């Protein structure tokens, strides 16, 4: 996997910087849509860029001050993820041969997929050619690099990394203290929870909107206070950094390389979206 990462100086890097803001994620997603649309147009085929709205990854910066002042500030887009497919009506009107040609142009040849294997042995693949793959390659440098950018953070700061931390007795003990602290403040979380924001977001899939809003409003200040009281945030950040160093030595998954890859990709993506189309995007 290391061969798809740009050369970086230093060690594993700060895993806190692996996370993307919602703004950065928007530019990455939207630029791929724009480039794929332009690619299809050159072939005489239509594809309208689809609106992309999603929350960026949870940051490892201290969230307690903002949480105490204004809550989680969960955006509308974080709660409403079923976006309208603006191309569905046009695609449904195509004949069988027309749709086959459209799919080939957009998604590429199914026999030419590319794959990347991650530290747990799992393999992620994506189309190796076609307009979507070409767009991702322009933004990230290559399709394998785009897969690393999308999936490596799970091992560094995301669910896979945190699941590994849950196997440690020192971390599990602090998580229990944090959960008990919340319970004393009248807010319950699931036994697997160790980040308040993620737990608040989960409730939007379980509860009616008003109830989920009320839960998030109660959880945010309690979570901030209990993070400070138990030190869970600082411990998590330190253990994630240690985990990234271990991954680098055992598998070549380099946090510094992932950070650099994402920064360079965001710069290309931002230029394309703000220019309203293609700019010089040679990686």
């Amino acid at each position: 996997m290391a061969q798809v990462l740009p050369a970086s100086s230093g060690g594993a890097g700060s895993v806190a910087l692996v996370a993307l803001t919602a703004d950065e994620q928007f530019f990455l997603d939207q630029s791929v849509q724009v480039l794929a649309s332009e690619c299809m147009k050159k072939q005489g085929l239509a594809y309208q860029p689809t609106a992309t709205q999603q929350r960026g990854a949870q940051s490892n910066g201290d969230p307690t001050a903002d949480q105490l002042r204004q809550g989680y500030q969960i955006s509308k887009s974080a709660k409403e993820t079923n976006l309208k497919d603006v191309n569905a009506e046009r695609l449904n009107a195509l004949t069988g041969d027309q749709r086959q040609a459209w799919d080939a142009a957009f998604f590429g040849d199914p026999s030419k997929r590319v794959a990347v294997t991650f530290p747990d042995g799992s393999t992620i693949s994506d189309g190796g050619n076609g307009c979507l793959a070409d767009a991702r390659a322009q933004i990230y440098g290559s399709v394998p690099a785009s897969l690393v950018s999308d999936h490596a953070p799970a091992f560094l700061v995301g669910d896979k990394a945190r699941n590994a931390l849950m196997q440690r007795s020192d971390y599990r003990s602090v998580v229990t203290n944090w959960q008990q602290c919340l319970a004393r403040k009248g807010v319950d979380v699931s036994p697997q929870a160790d980040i308040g924001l993620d737990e608040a977001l989960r409730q939007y899939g379980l509860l009616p909107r008003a109830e989920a809003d009320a839960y998030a409003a109660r959880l945010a200040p309690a979570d901030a206070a209990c993070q400070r009281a138990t030190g869970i945030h600082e411990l998590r950040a330190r253990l994630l950094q240690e985990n990234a160093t271990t991954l680098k030595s055992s598998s070549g998954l380099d946090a510094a390389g992932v950070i650099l890859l994402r920064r360079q990709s965001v710069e290309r993506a931002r230029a394309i979206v703000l220019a309203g189309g293609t700019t010089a995007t040679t990686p």
Side-chain angles (χ1 to χ4, degrees):
M1 179 158 39
Q3 71 272 13
V4 303
L5 295 175
S8 59
S9 59
S14 171
V15 294
L17 298 178
V18 173
L20 294 173
T21 67
D23 186 58
E24 290 170 335
Q25 188 66 60
F26 167 79
F27 282 120
L28 286 172
D29 293 340
Q30 198 65 35
S31 62
V32 170
Q33 293 286 313
V34 169
L35 292 177
S37 176
E38 293 178 355
C39 173
M40 293 293 280
K41 184 177 181 180
K42 291 176 182 177
Q43 300 181 58
L45 300 170
Y47 176 73
Q48 182 177 341
T50 303
T52 55
Q53 303 175 42
Q54 71 180 61
R55 180 175 64 95
Q58 168 80 354
S59 168
N60 280 327
D62 181 6
T64 56
D66 286 342
Q67 276 181 224
L68 285 171
R69 185 174 66 255
Q70 60 188 22
Y72 290 122
Q73 293 293 293
I74 298 174
S75 67
K76 180 180 180 181
S77 62
K79 304 169 190 174
E80 300 173 3
T81 57
N82 295 322
L83 302 171
K84 181 180 179 181
D85 184 350
V86 296
N87 295 284
E89 184 175 351
R90 181 185 298 113
L91 292 178
N92 289 337
L94 298 178
T95 66
D97 289 345
Q98 289 172 332
R99 181 58 187 266
Q100 187 174 5
W102 191 96
D103 285 349
F106 190 76
F107 296 110
D109 184 344
S111 69
K112 296 183 178 180
R113 295 179 69 83
V114 296
V116 172
T117 300
F118 288 89
D120 64 349
S122 62
T123 298
I124 306 295
S125 67
D126 205 349
N129 63 0
C131 285
L132 186 58
D134 290 349
R136 291 180 68 80
Q138 286 190 66
I139 297 300
Y140 295 92
S142 69
V143 174
S146 75
L147 293 172
V148 169
S149 179
D150 287 348
H151 298 283
F155 295 93
L156 299 170
V157 297
D159 290 342
K160 291 181 181 294
R162 281 162 46 204
N163 288 343
L165 296 190
M166 284 290 197
Q167 306 307 311
R168 297 181 54 135
S169 59
D170 54 350
Y171 186 66
R172 184 66 243 179
S173 175
V174 175
V175 169
T176 299
N177 292 340
W178 172 75
Q179 293 173 342
Q180 291 174 345
C181 175
L182 289 174
R184 290 193 294 271
K185 295 180 180 297
V187 184
D188 292 325
V189 295
S190 67
Q192 295 77 30
D194 67 333
I195 289 181
L197 174 59
D198 287 358
E199 184 69 4
L201 288 168
R202 190 175 75 88
Q203 296 304 319
Y204 284 95
L206 301 175
L207 300 174
R209 172 69 175 270
E211 292 181 32
D213 282 341
Y215 176 83
R218 294 197 311 274
L219 177 59
D223 175 30
C226 289
Q227 284 191 61
R228 291 179 174 181
T230 62
I232 187 173
H233 173 77
E234 291 79 4
L235 176 62
R236 185 192 309 116
R238 178 172 63 79
L239 294 180
L240 286 174
Q241 185 70 62
E242 292 176 3
N243 181 65
T245 303
T246 301
L247 281 173
K248 178 179 171 64
S249 62
S250 64
S251 70
L253 180 54
D254 179 5
V258 174
I259 292 166
L260 182 57
L261 168 63
R262 291 187 137 201
R263 184 168 67 242
Q264 292 173 344
S265 301
V266 167
E267 290 173 356
R268 296 184 195 117
R270 191 188 304 274
I272 288 169
V273 174
L274 295 181
T278 304
T279 64
T281 59
T282 302

